[in-house]
Amino acid sequence: MKANCWHGVNDVRIERVPDPTILNQTDVIVKITSTAICGSDLHLYDGYVPSMEAGDILGHEFMGEVVECGAGVKRLKVGDRIVVPFPIACGHCFACEQKMFSVCENSNPNAEMAEKMWGHSTAGIFGYSHLTGGYAGGQAEYARVPYADVGPLVVPEGLSDDKVLFLSDILPTGYMAAEACDIKPGDVVAVWGCGPVGQFAIQSAFLLGAERVIAIDRFPERLAMARDLSKAEVLNYEEVDIIDALKQMTGGRGPDACIDAVGMEAHGTGIAYAYDRIKQAMRMETERPTALREAMLACRNGGVVSVPGVYGGFADKIPIGSVMNRSLTIRTGQTHVHRYMQPLLERIQKGELDPACIITHHMALDDAPHGYEIFKHKQDQCVKVVLHPGM
Ligand code: NAD
Ligand code: ZN
Ligand code: ZN
């Protein structure tokens, strides 16, 4: 089959690789119809995540048709149309029983490697380095899906791929980030990053009762999307001092909750543009200013800082003194996608959410290298790329 394979920094290639096969009796094989490129894929493309190997198949946001079932699979059958959650979860360990699916204790065959890096292991993730299990990803014609009775959502008839694909990751991710904010009527939520995750965090914050959402980015088309689709107020961090602006907009107190939907980009492309302003805004000498630190410093006393943005290693100069003395709550995590698929599917069916509205590019799988380039550099007004192996 054809698959999009990682070969190094800024180097992905469409290659012919062996078709996946059933390895365990709870596996299914899915023939992929749609698969997206995520901001998390950019961390691999940027070379920020260790333990990638040349030839690794990328992709963790995918859906398609079941074409083969292991002997132990009970809930799925050949022909089912499914969306696959990005964390791989066994469904019955200590973590899974608490619905903490992204820290499943059984799905990462490289647990030791993760323990060395983070002190404890995490769940396996499709297409996301050997640190999270070395599973082949879904930017391919076919993928093997382990624990198939636990994760995948069977799509009801009449819903297009575009409407349900993002249940695999970014819609639950934006929603979990907003849910973590304990939003109460009248609350103001600020969101750093107007990429796909930020857009869904903004929409979810309104859905969960926020009175105002203030969206922060530097790309006019992403800010315009936040304003036009969700009625967010917007700030361009190249034009204003974000902490001052947020204080002014909230009667001097700061937002009730702050969401960092940027992650490691702040160490990469974002930082080159933001450095001087953020440094001033921090009112302290910093080596590597991040959206995360800004979110912590801007948040009102007693508020919540919610961090869906992905971090890999250390982010220095985290203002723990500010967090501690001002009674902030920090919530973060790889999304426990399984929890949110069914309830968010229902919201899509009711018309409360229309995830397709952020898609700017549909492409053939063959064009994945071009898709990565325009998504990384935000060229051609790109917000979200969906790839189609059959196109
Ligand atoms: P993206 O790259 O499209 O969006 C990031 C946005 O942040 C960009 O629009 C960029 O201009 C903006 N930005 C950069 N520096 C900024 C700054 N200092 N202040 C404000 N905005 C800034 O990516 P995405 O797909 O939206 O993903 C966003 C983050 O969420 C990534 O870190 C990704 O890895 C993470 N993510 C996490 C999970 C999870 O399970 N927690 C799941 C999916 C994605
Ligand atoms: Zn993703
Ligand atoms: Zn488990």
Side-chain angles (χ1 to χ4, degrees), residues 35-54:
T35 173
I37 306 175
C38 178
S40 297
D41 293 322
L42 295 182
H43 304 321
L44 309 176
Y45 194 62
D46 287 335
Y48 291 165
V49 179
S51 79
M52 287 297 289
E53 289 172 17

Side-chain angles (χ1 to χ4, degrees), residues 38 60-61 169:
C38 178
H60 59 268
E61 298 181 359
D169 176 351

Side-chain angles (χ1 to χ4, degrees), residues 54-67:
D56 284 348
I57 301 173
L58 293 163
H60 59 268
E61 298 181 359
F62 61 96
M63 64 177 294
E65 188 188 323
V66 175
V67 290

Side-chain angles (χ1 to χ4, degrees), residues 86-105:
F86 79 83
I88 299 168
C90 77
H92 58 75
C93 69
F94 174 77
C96 286
E97 273 175 4
Q98 297 177 73
K99 303 198 185 310
M100 304 280 284
F101 298 101
S102 72
V103 289
C104 169
E105 294 171 347

Side-chain angles (χ1 to χ4, degrees), residues 2-23:
K2 282 195 286 191
N4 186 37
C5 301
W6 185 91
H7 278 276
V9 178
N10 297 333
D11 185 0
V12 298
R13 303 177 200 167
I14 299 297
E15 294 182 323
R16 290 241 162 240
V17 300
D19 286 356
T21 53
I22 300 277
L23 297 182

Side-chain angles (χ1 to χ4, degrees), residues 142-339:
Y142 297 90
R144 177 177 75 93
V145 178
Y147 301 111
D149 278 335
V150 180
L153 175 88
V154 179
V155 182
E157 265 181 52
L159 287 167
S160 65
D161 279 23
D162 287 0
K163 276 210 148 73
V164 294
L165 172 63
F166 302 141
L167 288 168
S168 59
D169 176 351
I170 52 171
L171 183 58
T173 295
Y175 188 87
M176 184 168 109
E179 189 186 62
C181 293
D182 294 337
I183 296 170
K184 293 173 191 66
D187 272 4
V188 182
V189 178
V191 178
W192 278 251
C194 297
V197 170
Q199 299 290 342
F200 288 146
I202 295 164
Q203 292 185 18
S204 302
F206 277 122
L207 210 58
L208 291 170
E211 185 168 309
R212 297 166 62 202
V213 178
I214 303 169
I216 303 154
D217 205 299
R218 72 184 174 91
F219 290 98
E221 65 276 11
R222 290 179 174 222
L223 291 168
M225 188 180 264
R227 193 184 50 226
D228 299 343
L229 286 181
S230 309
K231 308 281 180 284
E233 295 157 66
V234 298
L235 292 174
N236 185 325
Y237 69 79
E238 287 190 300
E239 290 168 4
V240 296
D241 178 317
I242 293 298
I243 294 181
D244 283 350
L246 288 172
K247 277 201 173 160
Q248 271 172 24
M249 294 166 83
T250 55
R253 190 175 278 154
D256 300 287
C258 291
I259 297 178
D260 167 4
V262 179
M264 285 189 282
E265 172 158 4
H267 297 297
T269 50
I271 193 158
Y273 300 88
Y275 185 74
D276 282 333
R277 270 192 189 84
I278 292 184
K279 196 163 148 184
Q280 278 173 3
M282 294 304 164
R283 296 180 184 84
M284 59 168 136
E285 279 304 306
T286 57
E287 289 159 13
R288 300 190 103 188
T290 64
L292 175 59
R293 193 181 317 125
E294 211 173 41
M296 288 172 168
L297 292 173
C299 193
R300 74 148 161 83
N301 290 355
V304 177
V305 178
S306 166
V307 188
V310 161
Y311 291 92
F314 299 91
D316 286 342
K317 304 260 166 70
I318 290 300
I320 190 67
S322 175
V323 171
M324 188 273 161
N325 286 288
R326 300 194 305 107
S327 301
L328 300 186
T329 299
I330 313 294
R331 296 213 174 95
T332 186
Q334 294 284 1
T335 302
H336 306 296
V337 176
H338 303 52
R339 278 189 209 168

